[in-house]
Amino acid sequence: MGRRARGAGPTSRLLPLLLLLRLARGAAGEPGTDDKNECQFGATVVCGNHTSCHNTPGGFYCICLEGYRATNNNKTFIPNDGTFCTDIDECEVSGLCRHGGRCVNTPGSFECYCMDGYLLRNGSEPFHPTIDATSCTEINCGNPPEMRHAILVENHSSRLGGVAHYICQEGFESPGGKITSVCTEKGTWRESTLTCTEILTKINDVSVFNDTCVRWQMNSERINSKIVYVISVKGQRLDAIESVHEETVKLTTDSRTPEVCLALYPGTNYTVHISIAPPRRSVPAVIGFQTAEDDILEDDGMFNISIFNETCLKLNRHSRKIGSEYMYQFTVLGQRWYLDNFSHATSFNFTTRERVPVVCLNLYPTTDYTVNVSLLRSPKPHSVQITIATPPAVKQTISNISGFNETCLRWNIIKKVDMEEMYLFHIWGQRWYQKEFVREMTFNISTSSQDPEVCLELHPGTNYNVSLRALSSEFPVVISLTTQITEPPLPEVEFFMVHRGPLPRLRLRKAKEKNGPISSYQVLVLPLALQSAFSCDSEGASSFFSNTSDADGYVAAELLAKDVPDDAMEIPIGDRLYYGHYYNAPLKTGKDYCIILRITSEWNKVRRHSCAVWAQVKGKITFCLQMLSFFLLCSIKFILMRSVFKIVTGDQNPIHTTLSKKLHS
């Protein structure tokens, strides 16, 4: 709120009497060799608050203390004209508290504090830049801490409130939920209480079927991803001392009851050792069995298929006939559940003399495939169909992501030309000046462009983190966006039209911070003729005392947003008080005025305004009580000075007689 005018009390009213008495003594012939020291009564009594008094031969003058200025804008003054010392708002000077500092004005001085997002260094708050080496540095926590058995997800922010996300390594899990670490106001990371614990899997109920095939059960219910099994095979015949068959096979599957058919020799004792590939750990399982003697000499056209290394197929022929050439026809069809227009189809023939050939397919990630394999040129044609679900690509496919036009993104994608891809967006929005504001959005788009672009519907004056993931890839990329503020909401005012009467108190309501932080409210008084030409963004209006004429208008009051109550407050126009560092001067009689309320929003060196006409005043304005008090005060001063003068010059009438006559008249 504004400060009341100082220096207009009873003490200042005696100053004219002191001056007249001094003149009277000189006129009556009193000795003038001994100078009367007016400053002996004290600077506060003679000059007012926040002053120093300086005696001179035959007079004196006043000077405002450091941090204050005279209302007549001169260095020295004599307070008989109503001049007094008012506080200087040092915080009007930009950057006074250095980078990251926030200036707070105090009577006769100022104090500095660190803004949100900045950390105090070499001192304590409050601090003063001219006498302290204290400074404010932007909070930056640096590299997040390492988590045991966890991997840090890239593209994290190390600023205040930044969150580092972790995922458990293969073979580990976090039963308590997501693992995060937050950058705190102390400039350090707050570590998560959650940890990654090892997943131990048991392989149970191993059995043999179809002579050469093995199946088992997996007991863990916490694993949802695919598991890589290692099947070690060792075979030995009864008539042989050394092993006749050793082989290691890998099987990747998410089935709870996996099975695999092995290429085994007939009439051989086998030991099969089954375990889970690192980094997961398991309790291994072992089974021993003997294969049947081979009585099949002719080609029966029968074969089976097993999957390993995610995209490779192993074909196992039942026939033991060696040396024959076989031709297989592969028909591959792939679709993605999240894309209607995506398809990947291919077919080819494969010729081999091997009894257990291996064929690796060139498949796209995150795709469901159906593979049909047929044996050609066989007296007994046979076909086998198998399904393969490829996992997301580990390698990042999104590159060169960047923002433009404040709310838009563009990036490059590594994929086949004209192939459609789906992108998943996860957006978080926060505002430092509005803690309750949280915006979270999740949506997806599909496009076949190699250089996609998308414009997001973001709120102004907000910090955003955007996570973007191509569904064919395993990990997302994250980018930060900051939207600029826009004009604050129009002021909610009750308009008044006043014709030759008193102006009622104007009711100020606090505006909502929808488009950015509200910094201040200003009351502007303009000549009514300038209303149509007034621009809300114009910052040319100055204070009442700095105007050379009232033709351009002036700022009558300025209130910081933090000083405006949540409900409402009233502002009387022309009450002669200071609001901020602006004087609320009375309106002149017979003038036509337009009174405007302007709201200012400021953030990231951007200022935006919104204005509303509060009142239009036409003709004479009456402030009965104020004017009556003013004229009465002037009359009393005049009577006192005249009475003193009569006494000095020999007038025989007593003071009380003259004063009573004047008051009576």
Side-chain angles (χ1 to χ4, degrees):
M1 295 298 294
R3 302 180 177 89
R4 291 191 173 272
R6 302 177 179 87
T11 302
S12 62
R13 296 170 189 163
L14 293 175
L15 292 176
L17 293 177
L18 294 173
L19 294 174
L20 288 174
L21 287 172
R22 188 176 186 86
L23 293 173
R25 292 190 187 98
E30 292 183 5
T33 56
D34 294 330
D35 177 53
K36 178 67 174 179
N37 185 2
E38 290 82 359
C39 295
Q40 65 180 336
F41 299 101
T44 302
V45 174
V46 178
C47 298
N49 294 330
H50 315 298
T51 61
S52 62
C53 181
H54 300 267
N55 189 50
T56 61
F60 70 98
Y61 64 89
C62 302
I63 297 178
C64 293
L65 297 179
E66 184 179 358
Y68 296 84
R69 64 170 179 84
T71 55
N72 65 356
N73 293 324
N74 293 329
K75 185 174 182 180
T76 64
F77 67 95
I78 298 176
N80 61 349
D81 61 350
T83 301
F84 60 93
C85 294
T86 183
D87 179 50
I88 297 175
D89 187 359
E90 292 85 356
C91 294
E92 288 183 344
V93 179
S94 178
L96 190 62
C97 292
R98 306 192 189 106
H99 178 70
R102 174 174 59 88
C103 182
V104 176
N105 187 50
T106 60
S109 184
F110 67 96
E111 296 176 341
C112 293
Y113 299 83
C114 287
M115 296 190 300
D116 291 342
Y118 288 82
L119 194 63
L120 191 71
R121 293 186 61 184
N122 301 326
S124 59
E125 290 180 328
F127 62 91
H128 202 286
T130 60
I131 59 177
D132 296 336
T134 306
S135 61
C136 299
T137 59
E138 188 172 6
I139 293 178
N140 190 325
C141 293
N143 295 326
E146 294 184 358
M147 301 289 291
R148 184 174 175 82
H149 305 304
I151 301 173
L152 176 65
V153 180
E154 295 296 330
N155 301 309
H156 60 271
S157 171
S158 59
R159 295 182 178 179
L160 177 63
V163 181
H165 297 270
Y166 299 82
I167 58 173
C168 292
Q169 295 176 348
E170 187 75 15
F172 294 84
E173 65 177 355
S174 175
K178 294 183 179 179
I179 301 178
T180 59
S181 182
V182 181
C183 179
T184 67
E185 63 273 6
K186 296 181 181 179
T188 58
W189 291 96
R190 183 171 65 243
E191 295 189 12
S192 174
T193 58
L194 304 178
T195 58
C196 294
T197 57
E198 187 177 24
I199 301 174
L200 187 62
T201 307
K202 289 185 178 181
I203 299 174
N204 300 322
D205 301 328
V206 183
S207 60
V208 179
F209 66 99
N210 290 346
D211 193 45
T212 62
C213 299
V214 180
R215 69 164 60 97
W216 60 93
Q217 291 185 356
M218 196 261 295
N219 73 321
S220 176
E221 298 180 355
R222 294 175 294 175
I223 299 178
N224 297 320
S225 60
K226 293 187 176 182
I227 299 177
V228 180
Y229 295 89
V230 179
I231 301 99
S232 298
V233 178
K234 186 175 182 180
Q236 187 175 13
R237 288 182 177 174
L238 296 177
D239 56 354
I241 299 177
E242 297 180 354
S243 298
V244 296
H245 182 199
E246 290 187 7
E247 185 178 5
T248 300
V249 176
K250 288 186 177 181
L251 172 66
T252 302
T253 180
D254 58 0
S255 174
R256 298 287 174 179
T257 56
E259 58 184 43
V260 60
C261 291
L262 306 171
L264 305 180
Y265 297 157
T268 306
N269 290 325
Y270 279 97
T271 301
V272 178
H273 184 281
I274 305 172
S275 62
I276 295 179
R280 286 196 173 107
R281 291 184 56 194
S282 65
V283 178
V286 180
I287 188 172
F289 59 93
Q290 182 178 359
T291 57
E293 294 290 341
D294 188 6
D295 296 330
I296 304 177
L297 298 179
E298 297 297 329
D299 185 4
D300 60 359
M302 300 296 291
F303 65 94
N304 54 50
I305 300 176
S306 59
I307 303 173
F308 71 102
N309 288 345
E310 296 182 349
T311 61
C312 296
L313 301 179
K314 179 179 289 187
L315 283 65
N316 184 18
R317 289 292 307 273
H318 287 188
S319 173
R320 301 299 186 264
K321 194 173 183 180
I322 301 175
S324 300
E325 185 176 74
Y326 305 102
M327 177 179 288
Y328 299 90
Q329 183 182 63
F330 286 75
T331 302
V332 182
L333 177 61
Q335 291 182 319
R336 287 177 174 171
W337 59 268
Y338 55 90
L339 291 174
D340 295 333
N341 300 325
F342 177 92
S343 65
H344 178 209
T346 183
S347 62
F348 61 91
N349 292 340
F350 174 72
T351 303
T352 181
R353 292 180 179 272
E354 297 181 11
R355 189 172 64 85
V356 187
V358 174
V359 179
C360 291
L361 306 175
N362 186 17
L363 306 180
Y364 293 123
T366 321
T367 307
D368 297 326
Y369 283 94
T370 300
V371 182
N372 189 80
V373 183
S374 300
L375 179 62
L376 304 179
R377 303 175 184 174
S378 173
K380 297 180 179 179
H382 183 60
S383 296
V384 177
Q385 189 176 83
I386 193 171
T387 58
I388 302 175
T390 56
V394 177
K395 184 177 180 181
Q396 185 58 258
T397 58
I398 296 176
S399 62
N400 300 328
I401 184 170
S402 62
F404 68 99
N405 290 347
E406 195 175 285
T407 62
C408 300
L409 293 177
R410 63 165 60 99
W411 63 92
N412 302 125
I413 184 70
I414 303 173
K415 66 179 183 65
K416 187 177 179 181
V417 179
D418 297 331
M419 181 178 291
E420 191 176 27
E421 179 61 280
M422 177 176 284
Y423 302 93
L424 177 64
F425 288 82
H426 196 175
I427 303 173
W428 301 268
Q430 290 181 314
R431 290 173 172 170
W432 63 266
Y433 56 89
Q434 195 176 7
K435 301 300 183 183
E436 69 275 9
F437 178 93
V438 177
R439 291 292 184 272
E440 185 172 358
M441 296 181 289
T442 302
F443 64 92
N444 54 58
I445 64 170
S446 300
T447 178
S448 59
S449 173
Q450 293 284 111
D451 306 299
E453 294 182 356
V454 63
C455 291
L456 308 172
E457 295 182 1
L458 305 181
H459 290 73
T462 308
N463 294 321
Y464 284 95
N465 281 334
V466 181
S467 172
L468 172 63
R469 181 171 74 92
L471 264 66
S472 62
S473 180
E474 187 172 1
F475 298 111
V477 295
V478 180
I479 188 173
S480 297
L481 296 176
T482 299
T483 56
Q484 293 293 349
I485 61 175
T486 58
E487 288 74 14
L490 288 175
E492 296 182 11
V493 298
E494 181 181 357
F495 175 75
F496 291 96
M497 176 71 77
V498 179
H499 292 278
R500 310 181 67 86
L503 179 65
R505 290 173 174 262
L506 301 180
R507 190 172 182 84
L508 173 62
R509 296 179 178 88
K510 197 166 188 175
K512 295 183 178 179
E513 296 180 314
K514 293 182 178 179
N515 304 325
I518 304 298
S519 55
S520 64
Y521 299 79
Q522 280 187 337
V523 180
L524 291 85
V525 177
L526 305 176
L528 186 59
L530 296 181
Q531 176 180 339
S532 59
F534 173 74
S535 174
C536 187
D537 294 330
S538 172
E539 299 187 9
S542 55
S543 65
F544 176 79
F545 293 111
S546 61
N547 271 349
T548 56
S549 69
D550 60 354
D552 297 330
Y554 59 91
V555 179
E558 182 179 58
L559 300 171
L560 299 180
K562 65 182 181 64
D563 296 329
V564 177
D566 292 334
D567 45 6
M569 64 177 296
E570 292 184 344
I571 298 181
I573 302 300
D575 61 0
R576 295 187 177 91
L577 298 180
Y578 273 82
Y579 294 84
H581 55 276
Y582 292 100
Y583 179 61
N584 189 10
L587 303 183
K588 294 184 178 180
T589 304
K591 297 285 187 177
D592 294 342
Y593 292 97
C594 172
I595 300 175
I596 293 176
L597 175 63
R598 176 163 66 185
I599 301 178
T600 300
S601 180
E602 185 172 2
W603 188 44
N604 280 354
K605 300 180 180 180
V606 175
R607 290 169 65 93
R608 295 287 184 266
H609 310 278
S610 64
C611 295
V613 178
W614 217 344
Q616 288 182 348
V617 182
K618 296 183 179 181
K620 183 179 180 181
I621 307 300
T622 58
F623 294 95
C624 298
L625 293 177
Q626 291 91 333
M627 297 303 291
L628 178 59
S629 175
F630 176 78
F631 285 123
L632 182 59
L633 179 62
C634 292
S635 300
I636 293 174
K637 285 185 178 179
F638 175 80
I639 294 169
L640 288 174
M641 288 189 289
R642 185 171 179 178
S643 299
V644 172
F645 181 79
K646 286 184 178 182
I647 293 173
V648 174
T649 56
D651 194 333
Q652 300 303 316
N653 293 327
I655 294 178
H656 72 274
T657 304
T658 306
L659 180 60
S660 62
K661 289 181 179 179
K662 294 295 183 180
L663 290 175
H664 180 72
S665 61

